Amino acid sequence: MASIPNPSIHLSQSPKPTFISPKLHNTTIKPPNSDQKVVIHGGLKLSGHVEISGSKNSALAVLAGTLCCSGASKLRNVPDISDVRTMVSILRSLGVRVDTCGGEVVVDADGILSVDPCCEEVRKMRAGFFCSRPLIARIGEAVVALPGGCDIGTRPVDLFFNGLRALGAVVELRIRRAVAVACVPDFGWASHIESVDKLYD
């Protein structure tokens, strides 16, 4: 599959908020099931600006997507948070060069050395599984651990597997080795795209 050359992406941000004078005076807020409390001393005019960082969910998906690209991909306004740092570690475990400076991240995926990202890093968050699809698109194979992440209810990854199978991939679940995904030789992505709709019937 042909690689996409040298994209430069700026993650969108919301307009800077306008602050208004609060109407609350000396309000106490106590979070449920907690001994902590927040005391707000109101009645004073607030003004100024707050820097709004880019979206975390967008940043994680775009970082994984850089695996499809040749050359350097530059992302701007990327939030400096733990999930983003974990995704950077996942990319580096594949042999990808990643340079970060402030809110800017430069990814050079020309040197991919592995299709097996670090299991410990992948298991830290759900988005760790995102790198499987660009690896399949570019290399033709991926071996990825089952994703982890916060416990906010059942979030099965079957939809990911079904989508890959509908596009012509073979998905195999291995005990202790998490997930192995390999593409069928001479698969045709375009000829299978219509079958993805059947997943939502």
Side-chain angles (χ1 to χ4, degrees), residues 2-7 66-73 91 94-98 106-114 135 138-139:
S3 298
I4 305 172
N6 305 331
T66 60
L67 292 171
C68 288
C69 305
S70 61
S73 303
L91 295 178
L94 296 170
V96 174
R97 178 176 177 177
V98 184
V106 179
V107 182
D108 187 344
D110 275 347
I112 296 178
L113 301 175
S114 172
L135 283 173
R138 185 170 181 186
I139 308 298

Side-chain angles (χ1 to χ4, degrees), residues 136-137 140-142 168-170 181-187 189:
I136 292 171
E141 184 178 0
V170 173
V181 183
C183 284
V184 177
D186 300 324
F187 62 90
W189 292 103

Side-chain angles (χ1 to χ4, degrees), residues 129 132-144 158-173 179-193 195-196 199:
F129 195 68
S132 61
R133 288 159 290 180
L135 283 173
I136 292 171
R138 185 170 181 186
I139 308 298
E141 184 178 0
V143 181
V144 185
D158 292 1
L159 188 60
F160 291 110
F161 301 151
N162 292 339
L164 291 171
R165 290 185 178 113
L167 291 170
V170 173
V171 181
E172 178 184 348
L173 301 183
V179 182
V181 183
C183 284
V184 177
D186 300 324
F187 62 90
W189 292 103
S191 63
H192 290 83
I193 288 177
S195 63
V196 176
L199 300 174

Side-chain angles (χ1 to χ4, degrees), residues 64-132:
T66 60
L67 292 171
C68 288
C69 305
S70 61
S73 303
K74 181 182 291 185
L75 281 62
R76 300 185 182 91
N77 197 33
V78 179
D80 183 16
I81 56 176
S82 60
D83 280 0
V84 169
R85 291 190 289 270
T86 297
M87 181 60 78
V88 168
S89 295
I90 290 172
L91 295 178
R92 286 173 174 161
S93 73
L94 296 170
V96 174
R97 178 176 177 177
V98 184
D99 297 316
T100 62
C101 181
E104 191 170 278
V105 180
V106 179
V107 182
D108 187 344
D110 275 347
I112 296 178
L113 301 175
S114 172
V115 294
D116 185 1
C118 176
C119 293
E120 289 74 17
E121 296 297 318
V122 171
R123 291 192 178 110
K124 288 181 180 178
M125 60 180 184
R126 306 291 293 182
F129 195 68
F130 288 0
C131 61
S132 61

